Amino acid sequence: MSAIYSILTLACLMALSACSPQPANKVLTIGFNPAESADVVEANATVLSKILKEKAGVELKTFVASDFGALIEAMRAGRVDIGFLPPFSYVLAEKVANAKVLLKAVRNGHAHFYGAIITAKDYKKLEDLKGKTIAWTDPSSSSGHIVPKYELLERGIDPDKFFSKQVFAGGHDALVLAVANKTVDAGATFVNDPSGKDSAWQLFLKDPAQVAQIRMLMITKPIPGDTMCTTQKFYAANTKLVDKITKIMLDLGKTPEGSKVLRELYRIDSMVVAKPEDYDSLRAAARRLGIGEIQN
């Protein structure tokens, strides 16, 4: 199931969410989003799951989704009890799966990150991209699509008219390579520091000469961090267990060993308590773009 298909079909899943019963859970299932290749995520997820199993004293199973929509659907259907969701996927999961946010990611001491529009060509400012091509990562990506596009509109730039062509690269790694190889004129991806010192292009480009080519033409306002969520239904039936897992995750980032596990999993240092209102800016961006049927 493609990422685009996932987003387009989520509205249909909303109508089904109230009708599908959740089976009784014998094993706690933790769902992981496909931030990198499935093999890499699976290996790192297994390490984290072993820690949670040992500390929580509960049987655990991991589920690595094929895409963000598949993870949301698994939570809706009761096949995943706790899931790690990117910011906008959590906003969708609220509608589709009645998700309850528990924690959000901290990187470099901040519980937020940024989107950036980058180029490897000789463009000095955003206006130089008029009539050029741009790549977005994924329709549901906060930093690689939704927030940068929203902020362009807020600046009076309509991407549909401003760019000659828009494409989806499918992931941050693929997008960075497309920009570095000059397959597209520009692309949108994540950056954890407004100076650009901790960024997707530094992570995915192995050649220092290619890294040096990249120029940021725009950086967005802060985006709230990636989430750890459950569903309202699972939390109501398993409050003590979910609270236990949440505390373990909070404590994990307080030790060098625990931080290492989190960095290898999703390049985060720790997690902190999150609230639904932390993600209001994403809800506003989604409404402006008409993405995900976010109406409230």
Side-chain angles (χ1 to χ4, degrees), residues 91-287:
V91 171
L92 285 176
E94 277 187 318
K95 292 287 184 179
V96 177
N98 202 15
K100 173 182 174 65
V101 67
L102 302 167
L103 301 173
K104 59 183 175 181
V106 173
R107 296 179 175 93
N108 299 320
H110 301 289
H112 58 256
F113 62 113
Y114 306 85
I117 293 180
I118 61 173
T119 185
K121 294 190 176 182
D122 190 27
Y123 302 130
K124 302 295 190 300
K125 57 187 185 300
L126 193 63
E127 289 72 20
D128 294 340
L129 294 178
K130 184 172 178 60
K132 308 301 181 182
T133 59
I134 190 168
W136 312 106
T137 54
D138 177 286
S140 65
S141 173
S142 302
S143 60
H145 180 229
I146 294 168
V147 176
K149 184 175 280 189
Y150 167 74
E151 292 202 11
L152 286 175
L153 288 169
E154 290 292 287
R155 295 181 184 207
I157 296 174
D158 183 347
D160 293 339
K161 299 175 181 177
F162 185 75
F163 299 109
S164 62
K165 185 179 181 181
Q166 301 177 71
V167 298
F168 286 103
H172 292 279
D173 50 353
L175 181 136
V176 167
L177 286 173
V179 172
N181 293 332
K182 302 182 180 179
T183 306
V184 292
D185 294 304
T189 188
F190 70 84
V191 57
N192 295 321
D193 183 285
S195 69
K197 292 179 180 178
D198 182 7
S199 64
W201 52 98
Q202 291 172 324
L203 176 68
F204 295 119
L205 295 177
K206 306 306 179 186
D207 183 353
Q210 283 189 314
V211 174
Q213 278 188 313
I214 302 297
R215 177 184 290 119
M216 280 198 306
L217 300 180
M218 186 188 90
I219 187 164
T220 71
K221 294 176 182 176
I223 302 169
D226 299 17
T227 72
M228 187 180 88
C229 303
T230 186
T231 63
Q232 297 285 356
K233 182 173 184 178
F234 188 80
Y235 184 76
N238 303 274
T239 304
K240 289 184 178 179
L241 175 58
V242 176
D243 287 348
K244 193 174 195 178
I245 295 292
T246 301
K247 186 178 187 306
I248 292 169
M249 290 297 299
L250 283 169
D251 291 341
L252 201 61
K254 298 175 182 178
T255 66
E257 298 80 10
S259 289
K260 182 175 183 293
V261 171
L262 295 174
R263 281 195 299 272
E264 291 180 350
L265 178 63
Y266 288 131
R267 299 180 296 279
I268 65 179
D269 300 316
S270 62
M271 303 197 84
V272 295
V273 173
K275 299 176 292 185
E277 54 265 35
D278 295 342
Y279 297 83
D280 283 347
S281 61
L282 276 175
R283 296 183 185 94
R287 283 195 296 270

Side-chain angles (χ1 to χ4, degrees), residues 24-28 58-59:
N25 284 78
K26 297 180 180 179
V27 178
L28 181 70
V58 64
E59 287 298 315

